[in-house]
Amino acid sequence: MQPEFAPRDAPFVKLTVLSKSELAEWCGNATETGRRWVEANGFGAEPTEVLSVPDGSGGIAEVLAGGVSQDPGHDTRFHLASVLRRLPAGNYRLANKLSQQDRDEAALASLFAQYWPSTRRNGRSHSALLVAPEGTDCEKLLAIAEGEFLVRDMVNAPASEMTPGCLEKVFRRIAEANSADLRVVKGKELAVECPMTHAVGRSSEHEPRLLELNWGTSGPLVSLAGKGVCFDTGGLNMKSGRAMALMKKDMAGAAVVASLCSVIMKLKLPVRFRALIPVAENSVSERSVRPGDVLVSKSGVRVEITNTDAEGRLLLADTLTLAEERESDLLVSFGTLTGAARTALGPEIVPFYAVNNRLAGLLEEAGGRVRDPLWRMPLWQPYRGMLESDVADIKNSSSTAFAGSITAALFLNHFVRRRESFAHFDIYGWQASAAPGRPKGGCGQAGRAVLEAITEFLL
Ligand code: BES
Ligand code: ZN
Ligand code: ZN
């Protein structure tokens, strides 16, 4: 499914989003018929209302839609997406006077509005399309929306489809479409290159693997890591049915990296990237990692397994070690690492960790600007003690229930030496309840903010 804008040279209907006071103004300038139509329909510019105003010949003269509160802090994100979902098929042109930033947001909202999960896509064609507002970078927004659709499709796919082999295929397709280079490591080689991914993944009939996608010949090097756990049962520390229900989405980090890579390649950003995706299923079998096992990481650090459900950090740790073999200008990891991140910030705000204040500032600013909300959390060194092990160098989960997302980030930082260029995102990858432009289900998080920050931090 390809998102699109309305063609510039086709007929269109004028669309105006109005607040209540703007509606009064509109009525003041409207024809008698228009004013009476608004009244007769009881249109009050409520955020959920849309009204087609007829022309004299049975067609639509223009469309009015209710606006949203201008209160500071009120979330007006992508409101236009829900307006477009309510409109009949056709081409619409936004008549509002908007700032460039709001025009970009409206344009992106119009693309996000076109998503349907594959199971509900049958026979649907794009309905209401927006003419790209003046000054928007269409190519960039289309690439971003395609990336977002990719994440949603990948995360929404059931684990019976999105197996480690299927995840590999997705990356192969992306690599081939952009003449990039994909390396796949499995079996004995994986046990050497990513021993902890191998250890977690050997529990499943679906072979674990490492995917490495390289692209670009010049420019700063961006290293990306994404947790690719195709299903997380918790392993022998098995999750409850409730906690396990959504665990097909435990590869959302990998999906965000896939989309980020494809956007960077489509836009031909002047950077090089190296994406490392550890892929495994965390299953229950006689080959599962056991609580009390000690794993030797790629870097030689001995890790005591105190909870087999804290598997994501094991996968990412080896990947980060591997990433550090080359000197990158920016190193970013994404993973659905902890439930604690949701307890702290809920499903929509992504906690991130970075020691570099400039990088953190750019990320926060970009996240706010492009409506990909992030919140910086502290890498609070005193909590590092919660990961002290009696039998190994570090343990994979804290003995307390406190600060779970922070301790996961501290664990990862133990495997990173050049921390000044490192940022980690503890994402959720799931829209818990439908919002404008974001139906319930898989969703991209942090990728759009990182895309902006890459440009600002490195170029
Ligand atoms: N994939 C989960 C984290 C998760 C849970 C993400 C719910 C989104 C929603 C991860 O592998 C996990 O199970 N983490 C444990 C860590 C704990 C054992 C230290 C958790 O959060 O409970
Ligand atoms: Zn887990
Ligand atoms: Zn997990």
Side-chain angles (χ1 to χ4, degrees), residues 227 232 239 247 249-250 307 309-313 336-340 397 428:
K227 170 177 172 182
D232 183 10
K239 288 183 184 292
M247 283 301 125
K249 74 174 180 65
D250 218 19
N307 193 321
D309 198 8
E311 84 297 340
R313 65 196 74 183
T336 44
L337 282 204
T338 68
S397 84
Y428 191 50

Side-chain angles (χ1 to χ4, degrees), residues 37 55 79 89 98 127 133 144 181 215 219 237-238 282 297 305 367 404:
W37 183 259
D55 60 16
H79 171 66
L98 298 173
S127 31
I144 288 173
D181 187 37
W215 181 83
N237 292 106
M238 206 195 296
N282 189 20
S297 76
I305 304 302

Side-chain angles (χ1 to χ4, degrees), residues 227 229 231-234 237 239 243-244 246-247 249-251 282 306-313 335-342 387 396-398 400 404-405 407-408 426-430:
K227 170 177 172 182
V229 171
F231 194 79
D232 183 10
T233 63
N237 292 106
K239 288 183 184 292
M244 205 189 296
L246 265 184
M247 283 301 125
K249 74 174 180 65
D250 218 19
M251 31 58 71
N282 189 20
T306 45
N307 193 321
T308 62
D309 198 8
E311 84 297 340
R313 65 196 74 183
T336 44
L337 282 204
T338 68
R342 270 56 269 174
L387 298 174
N396 78 327
S397 84
S398 157
T400 81
S405 179
T407 49
D426 196 342
I427 65 170
Y428 191 50
W430 192 261

Side-chain angles (χ1 to χ4, degrees), residues 326-442:
R326 284 195 220 153
E327 192 163 336
S328 45
D329 299 281
L330 180 62
L331 170 59
V332 186
S333 62
F334 303 88
T336 44
L337 282 204
T338 68
R342 270 56 269 174
T343 307
L345 299 179
E348 289 188 10
I349 304 169
V350 175
F352 78 96
Y353 300 84
V355 297
N356 182 324
N357 290 333
R358 184 171 93 88
L359 176 59
L362 287 173
L363 284 164
E364 278 180 320
E365 195 279 324
R369 180 161 34 86
V370 301
R371 307 291 192 150
D372 193 9
L374 310 173
W375 201 262
R376 187 185 187 183
M377 298 265 273
L379 278 162
W380 189 252
Q381 287 305 323
Y383 292 168
R384 178 62 182 72
M386 296 183 186
L387 298 174
E388 280 317 322
S389 165
D390 293 336
V391 299
D393 301 314
I394 191 168
K395 58 187 186 187
N396 78 327
S397 84
S398 157
S399 37
T400 81
F402 295 134
S405 179
I406 296 177
T407 49
L410 287 168
F411 183 89
L412 294 185
N413 268 263
H414 186 72
F415 294 84
V416 175
R417 265 164 300 151
R418 285 189 295 275
R419 295 185 188 157
E420 280 296 315
S421 49
F422 177 48
H424 162 64
F425 296 83
D426 196 342
I427 65 170
Y428 191 50
W430 192 261
Q431 183 69 30
S433 53
R438 293 166 294 157
K440 182 176 171 181

